[in-house]
Amino acid sequence: MSQYSKDIEAIAALRQAQDGRWDAINPEDAARMRAQNRFKSGLDIAKYTAKIMREDMAAYDADPANYTQSLGCWHGFIAQQKMIAIKKHFGNTKRRYIYLSGWMVAALRSEFGPLPDQSMHEKTSVPALIEEIYTFLRQADAWELNHLFRALSEAKQAGDQAKVKDLENQIENHESHVVPIIADIDAGFGNAEATYLLSKKMIEAGACAIQIENQVSDEKQCGHQDGKVTVPHADFLQKINAVRMAFLELGVDDGVIVARTDSLGAGLTQKIAVSKEAGDLGDQYNSFIAGDVISDASEIGPGDVVIKQDGKLVKAKRLASGLFEFRKDTGEDRVVLDCITSLQNGADMIWIETEKPHVGQIAGMVDRIREAVPNAKLVYNNSPSFNWTLNFRQQVFDAWQEQGKDVSAYDRAKLMSAEYDSTELAVEADKWTAEFQREGAAKAGIFHHLITLPTYHTAALSTDNLAQGYFGDEGMLAYVAGVQRKEIRQGIATVKHQDMAGSNIGDDHKEFFAGEAALKAGGKDNTMNQF
C-alpha cells in the first residue's frame, strides 16, 4: 500500500472518531495536502540532505566521475526555477546542489543596500535566505504534485485504471526538488560562540553543509581580492568545533563542514600563533612569517616582535596596521598545512581559493594533501572572478608553445579579443573549458564544482538584453520574441506564471475548504488559458 493510501486510511479513522464533527473533511484531500508538504521543518530538510551528501561523497570516493555541482542562488525563486529546470532536462536532481554565496547575500540581500564581500551584511540574512530557498523548493514539490493529483482525479473520473496506476506510482515515487545547500558562513561573523549561534540558525533553516574560511572575521575580504588576513590554526579549529557542535546539538549528526583556506592569496596574518615546542602547529604557522634574523638585543626596537625560526631569532615584519607579513612564495605550503590540519581536526572537505582555474595547480596541492589524508575531497569555486576565456586560451597557448607548436599568429596578452574566436586555439580552449570540471574531479580531487554568483550575472545579462530591445526599436517584440515565445517553445513553467505562483493550488484548497461554494481564480475567463 502506498503512503498516500495509508494516509487516507489514517485520516479517515481520525475523522470517524470525531462523531460527525469532521464530516466536512475529505480524507483524500487531507492526505493529498500531506503528500504535498513532505518536510515539516528545516531540521527535517537538513537531516534529509546531509544523508544525500554523505552518500554522494562515498560514491565519489568509489568513482571520481560521480562529482557534484551547484549554482549560486540569491533568491528562493531562482533556486526553485533552477531545480525545476534540472528535473525537466535530466529527469532527476542527483548530484546537483545549491550554493548560497555570502558575496551575493552582501551584494543583493542586505538592508544596507549593495555591499562588498567583507562580512558587513546582517548575519541573520544568511539563514533567512536558506529558509526562503527551501520554502520555494517545497512549493515546487507542491506545484508538481498538484498537477499529478489533478491528473489522478481526472483519470479516476474517466475510469482509466492504467492511468490511475501510473499516476499513483509517480506520486508515491516523487523526487523532491529539495537538495543540499552548501551555505557560506564567511569567517563566522565573530568569535567561536558567534559562529556556533549563527550555525544553529543556518542548520535550523535547513543547511546540511556549512563552509567556513580561515580569514580574520572583522578583516574579511572576498577570496578574489587583495588584503586577505588569515588566523592561526588554533583559532580556526575553534570555529570548526563550534559548527560541529551546532550540528550535533540539533541532531544532524552527519552534517558537513567545508573548511576553506584563503592562504594562497593571503599575505598577512593577524597575530603570531601560540607555540609550546618546536615543530608544533603554532611553530609551523610562525615559520612562514617574514622577518629579519637578528643576533643582538640592540637590534630590537620598541614594539618589535621577535620569534624563533629554525633556531634563529627573527624580528617579524610588522606593518603599520599591526598585521604580520608572510614570506613570499609560501602560499601553497600554507594551503597544504591548512587543509591537512582542518581535515585531521573535524572538517569533512576542503576549499582552496585559487587565482586561476588550472587543474595542474590544484592537483599539485591536493596530491600533497592526500599524502596525509588519502580521501581528501575538494569543493572548488569555478569563480566568475576568473576571465575564463582568457585563462584557457593562455593555457592552450602555453601548452602549444611548450610542445614547440607555432603560436606566432597569436598575441598571448590579447587572446580575449573576438578576432580569435574562430581560431584553432580558441576552439581548443573551449574544449578545455568544457572538460575542466571532469578533469578536476578525476585528477585534482574535486568532489563539488560550484559557480558562486552565476545568477547575479544572468539576471544582469537578461535584463540588459530585454531593456535594449524594449526601449529601442523592437518595443513589445523584444519581450514577445526574446522571452515569452522562448518560454512557450522551451516549456518553461513560468510562462503560466499564475500556476507557478500557486493559483491552482489555492483553487484546489478553496474547494477542499468550501466545496461548491469555493470562488476559484482558474475559470474560463482566466487569460492563462491562452497557454
Side-chain angles (χ1 to χ4, degrees), residues 267-286:
L268 303 170
T269 182
Q270 183 189 43
K271 58 186 178 183
I272 305 294
V274 174
S275 174
K276 296 182 179 178
E277 60 183 17
D280 66 12
L281 200 54
D283 185 51
Q284 291 180 66
Y285 186 83
N286 293 340

Side-chain angles (χ1 to χ4, degrees), residues 228-377:
K228 294 183 289 294
V229 184
T230 63
V231 297
H233 298 101
D235 295 37
F236 188 51
L237 295 181
Q238 289 179 30
K239 294 188 176 183
I240 289 177
N241 292 338
V243 177
R244 179 63 67 202
M245 293 294 279
F247 274 126
L248 292 173
E249 178 182 334
L250 295 172
V252 186
D253 297 347
D254 48 2
V256 176
I257 298 174
V258 179
R260 170 176 145 179
T261 173
D262 284 281
S263 290
L264 191 62
L268 303 170
T269 182
Q270 183 189 43
K271 58 186 178 183
I272 305 294
V274 174
S275 174
K276 296 182 179 178
E277 60 183 17
D280 66 12
L281 200 54
D283 185 51
Q284 291 180 66
Y285 186 83
N286 293 340
S287 70
F288 297 114
I289 293 173
D292 298 315
V293 176
I294 62 172
S295 56
D296 190 272
S298 63
E299 299 177 59
I300 303 172
D304 283 345
V305 174
V306 177
I307 59 176
K308 204 171 193 180
Q309 291 180 342
D310 294 327
K312 300 175 182 178
L313 292 178
V314 174
K315 183 166 63 176
K317 187 171 182 179
R318 195 176 195 182
L319 306 183
S321 60
L323 301 171
F324 296 94
E325 191 171 358
F326 287 116
R327 287 185 285 110
K328 304 297 182 186
D329 301 321
T330 61
E332 288 199 6
D333 291 338
R334 286 183 281 125
V335 163
V336 171
L337 179 60
D338 292 345
C339 292
I340 291 172
T341 301
S342 294
L343 290 170
Q344 291 180 337
N345 291 275
D348 299 292
M349 287 189 283
I350 50 177
W351 170 319
I352 301 171
E353 280 288 68
T354 65
E355 80 286 2
K356 59 181 179 291
H358 193 289
V359 171
Q361 179 199 33
I362 302 163
M365 291 182 282
V366 172
D367 286 347
R368 293 174 61 190
I369 294 162
R370 283 183 162 180
E371 290 176 8
V373 186
N375 68 339
K377 285 177 283 295

Side-chain angles (χ1 to χ4, degrees), residues 82-94:
K82 186 188 93 168
M83 297 316 303
I84 288 173
I86 286 170
K87 286 194 71 174
K88 181 184 75 170
H89 291 298
F90 305 104
N92 61 71
T93 62
K94 193 170 181 62

Side-chain angles (χ1 to χ4, degrees), residues 491-502:
I492 307 298
T494 52
V495 73
K496 298 183 179 181
H497 48 260
Q498 306 286 13
D499 174 47
M500 190 71 255

Side-chain angles (χ1 to χ4, degrees), residues 136-150:
F136 273 80
L137 296 185
R138 291 165 67 192
Q139 195 264 359
D141 283 355
W143 165 81
E144 189 169 60
L145 283 163
N146 198 65
H147 282 274
L148 292 174
F149 277 115
R150 281 189 163 198

Side-chain angles (χ1 to χ4, degrees), residues 16-36:
Q16 188 173 359
Q18 296 300 316
D19 297 325
R21 294 186 304 117
W22 286 12
D23 283 358
I25 301 299
N26 183 327
E28 288 193 21
D29 296 341
R32 173 176 163 179
M33 293 177 73
R34 182 177 290 181
Q36 290 177 236

